Amino acid sequence: MQTPTAKTPLALSPREMAVVHAAAFTNARPWSEAEFSSLLDSRFVFAVGDRRSFALGRVIAGEAELLTIATRPDCWRQGLGRATLQAWVAEAVARDATEGFLEVAEDNRAARALYVAHGFAETGRRPGYYARDDGPAVDAVLMTATLRKALGAE
């Protein structure tokens, strides 16, 4: 299978996205088929990736928000998250975004490392934002990046 790129058409339905999301996010509430469907109805929202890993984003007024990125657990540690994030950045830049932003759970170390490797830096926090079934809520870490710089990150 090929690595996801910005030119890879995303052939996932909202239902398939919800299945991948549920598999990837076991310690947080996964998004539903209806939520994906509603987001994808917006002309500002785009998706990149494939059935193993996808990212959903929104570009408005030169700013790109990474809404979610999910990789099936059986595909972890294969570079798909990195390739999918790189495809998301490339598509956001193609849509004239100059800045990117996201939020990530403080306890998601792998995702935070991925974002830092792509030029994202912490810019704030939302204390206790993410509920956890097995413990106390964790902070949302807010991160931003200049996308052209992130496009060149490895």
Side-chain angles (χ1 to χ4, degrees):
M1 293 181 116
Q2 69 183 30
T3 322
T5 67
K7 296 190 189 305
T8 303
L10 185 62
L12 288 181
S13 68
R15 177 175 164 63
E16 291 169 312
M17 292 173 119
V19 168
V20 172
H21 203 262
F25 289 90
T26 58
N27 64 348
R29 184 190 71 78
W31 295 5
S32 69
E33 176 182 357
E35 288 168 313
F36 280 110
S37 184
S38 177
L39 284 165
L40 289 165
D41 282 344
S42 169
R43 66 185 175 98
F44 301 109
V45 173
F46 66 94
V48 296
D50 61 26
R51 286 181 165 75
R52 301 166 298 159
S53 181
F54 73 90
L56 191 68
R58 172 174 36 215
V59 173
I60 299 175
E63 293 184 341
E65 178 182 11
L66 178 62
L67 298 168
T68 194
I69 184 169
T71 301
R72 286 189 352 225
D74 62 319
C75 296
W76 287 352
R77 314 290 304 158
Q78 297 176 24
L80 291 171
R82 181 181 62 228
T84 302
L85 181 58
Q86 197 70 7
W88 177 85
V89 170
E91 182 62 22
V93 168
R95 291 170 177 253
D96 296 325
T98 57
E99 298 294 317
F101 65 97
L102 59 88
E103 67 181 41
V104 60
E106 179 180 39
D107 60 356
N108 191 339
R109 289 186 181 102
R112 290 177 64 195
L114 174 68
Y115 301 142
V116 167
H118 280 79
F120 284 83
E122 183 175 334
T123 55
R125 287 182 175 250
R126 289 189 179 110
Y129 187 77
Y130 289 104
R132 295 290 186 248
D133 291 337
D134 59 351
V138 298
D139 292 356
V141 177
L142 309 176
M143 303 181 84
T144 61
T146 300
L147 292 180
R148 292 213 181 272
K149 288 181 184 176
L151 196 55
E154 289 299 323

